[in-house]
Amino acid sequence: MYGFAVRAIDSLCCTSKHENILVIGYGTGTIVETLLRSEEVKSVTVVELNEAVMINLKKMPLFRRLLSDNRIKVVVDDGRRFLNSTSNKYDIILMDPPRIITGLQQQLIYSKEFFKIVKHI
């Protein structure tokens, strides 16, 4: 869990501008929670494939409080499809994909093509 927070903090420290951030995959919310601790972060777009997860998390007080932050925008979509369809630019793009990734998922998320898409966003 701390590794996710460290990844988010490193990203904030390594960029001169971090107002508009994209997180692909909500996971346990650690990355988003850490990002929102920075007052410089103005917007966090979370792209989550599993709508049921987001609906159920909002039923829990901890996540309801976190997800009610007006800087968060949750988009239910496939991360790659979202990247291909957005015209928005982001200062930082972070991912929290499932740890168990098989076959096609691994090819799509960790492919050269995926990172080429990210590079142009």
Side-chain angles (χ1 to χ4, degrees), residues 20-110:
N20 191 21
I21 301 174
L22 173 64
V23 178
I24 300 174
Y26 186 75
T28 60
T30 305
I31 290 174
V32 173
E33 181 179 16
T34 303
L35 294 170
L36 292 174
R37 291 179 185 267
S38 171
E39 292 178 9
E40 294 179 39
V41 173
K42 305 295 183 216
S43 171
V44 177
T45 301
V46 177
V47 179
E48 172 57 50
L49 182 61
N50 192 333
E51 183 176 23
V53 166
M54 299 311 293
I55 290 169
N56 288 319
L57 286 176
K58 289 178 182 177
K59 295 176 183 176
M60 296 179 224
L62 170 68
F63 292 103
R64 184 176 355 172
R65 180 185 53 79
L66 180 64
L67 292 168
S68 66
D69 189 303
N70 61 5
R71 295 176 290 169
I72 294 180
K73 175 184 176 187
V74 176
V75 176
V76 176
D77 199 353
D78 173 77
R80 189 172 180 143
R81 182 175 38 231
F82 176 83
L83 289 171
N84 278 319
S85 65
T86 189
S87 60
N88 294 338
K89 297 291 182 187
Y90 297 94
D91 302 318
I92 299 172
I93 299 175
L94 297 168
M95 296 188 333
D96 191 3
R99 297 296 152 251
I100 300 171
I101 297 178
T102 60
L104 183 59
Q105 288 175 317
Q106 188 166 6
Q107 291 172 11
L108 294 175
I109 291 177
Y110 295 112

Side-chain angles (χ1 to χ4, degrees), residues 104-118:
L104 183 59
Q105 288 175 317
Q106 188 166 6
Q107 291 172 11
L108 294 175
I109 291 177
Y110 295 112
S111 67
K112 285 182 183 180
E113 292 79 15
F114 178 82
F115 287 101
K116 285 180 184 177
I117 296 167
V118 170

